[in-house]
Amino acid sequence: MIAVLASGEGTNFQALLDADAAGQLHATIALLLTNNPQARAIERAQRANIPHVVIPNHRDRNLLGTAILDALQATSVQLLCLAGFMRVLAPAVIAAYPRRILNIHPALLPKFPGLHAVQQALTAGVTETGCTVHLVDEGIDTGPIILQERVPILPGDTEASLAARIHAVEHRVYPRAVKLFLSTATT
Ligand code: GAR
């Protein structure tokens, strides 16, 4: 079973839900966790009949981690998928799910880790960026890469236009990465 952590729109969560409904993942999405009671991801979970838990958005990373672990306790989760979860996970969460946490990031890591990755790419003046699905370790967007896909930066691109094209690619890449990961992961 998969638990998804999302803080906002949840379009990547939706892509995972759609792939699950189409039988394209090697596991079922069982739970949404969010640190944002206003997250659109909650509506997506409700529409898909997936339970959700709103965890308190503790500023302290370790307290947030404890809340995440508590919320996950009742579910036997084999994979955590971060889908626009905009907080760094506590070491205790990573230790509880070793090599079992995936994240999607809107850049070709190791380039442009952290916040505002789309704007970082525009500011750097590069001609292409992309998205990356990677395993989460204790660094910021540093874990082993599962899949990446390039997205060209076009003349006149704004953060919004480029983010929209990256999103479209992410929605393809994330379900593929989950399937690939689960088909090769040892239990
Ligand atoms: C996605 O573009 C994802 O790559 C990014 O947040 C967006 C969430 O969109 N994640 C990060 O920047 C993590 N560092 P969504 O809520 O529509 O899936």
Side-chain angles (χ1 to χ4, degrees), residues 26-38:
H26 280 291
T28 301
I29 299 172
L31 184 63
L32 169 73
L33 293 192
T34 183
N35 58 335
N36 173 12
Q38 313 296 333

Side-chain angles (χ1 to χ4, degrees), residues 89-170:
L89 291 180
V93 178
I94 294 163
Y97 295 91
R99 295 185 65 84
R100 293 276 164 193
I101 308 175
L102 296 182
N103 180 44
I104 187 151
H105 183 77
L108 294 175
L109 292 171
K111 285 189 185 141
F112 313 127
L115 294 176
H116 310 300
V118 178
Q119 185 57 50
Q120 286 187 55
L122 285 172
T123 304
V126 292
T127 56
E128 66 173 16
T129 183
C131 65
T132 302
V133 177
H134 66 98
L135 278 165
V136 173
D137 64 12
E138 288 197 17
I140 309 272
D141 301 321
T142 50
I145 290 168
I146 307 293
L147 272 182
Q148 289 187 304
E149 196 169 315
R150 293 165 197 276
V151 174
I153 297 180
L154 305 178
D157 253 339
T158 61
E159 186 177 8
S161 65
L162 180 55
R165 287 207 315 287
I166 293 173
H167 257 113
V169 174
E170 287 184 330

Side-chain angles (χ1 to χ4, degrees), residues 11-81:
T11 64
N12 280 288
F13 172 46
Q14 186 68 55
L16 293 174
L17 287 172
D18 293 346
D20 185 8
Q24 288 166 358
L25 301 179
H26 280 291
T28 301
I29 299 172
L31 184 63
L32 169 73
L33 293 192
T34 183
N35 58 335
N36 173 12
Q38 313 296 333
R40 282 241 13 242
I42 294 173
E43 292 165 38
R44 300 177 190 277
Q46 287 169 333
R47 240 183 287 135
N49 273 316
I50 307 287
H52 72 272
V53 178
V54 180
I55 48 171
N57 191 28
H58 296 293
R59 282 179 68 118
D60 181 299
R61 185 191 302 180
N62 294 318
L63 282 180
L64 182 73
T66 303
I68 291 170
L69 290 175
D70 287 349
L72 289 170
Q73 218 172 26
T75 313
S76 156
V77 167
Q78 76 202 94
L79 183 67
L80 294 185
C81 291

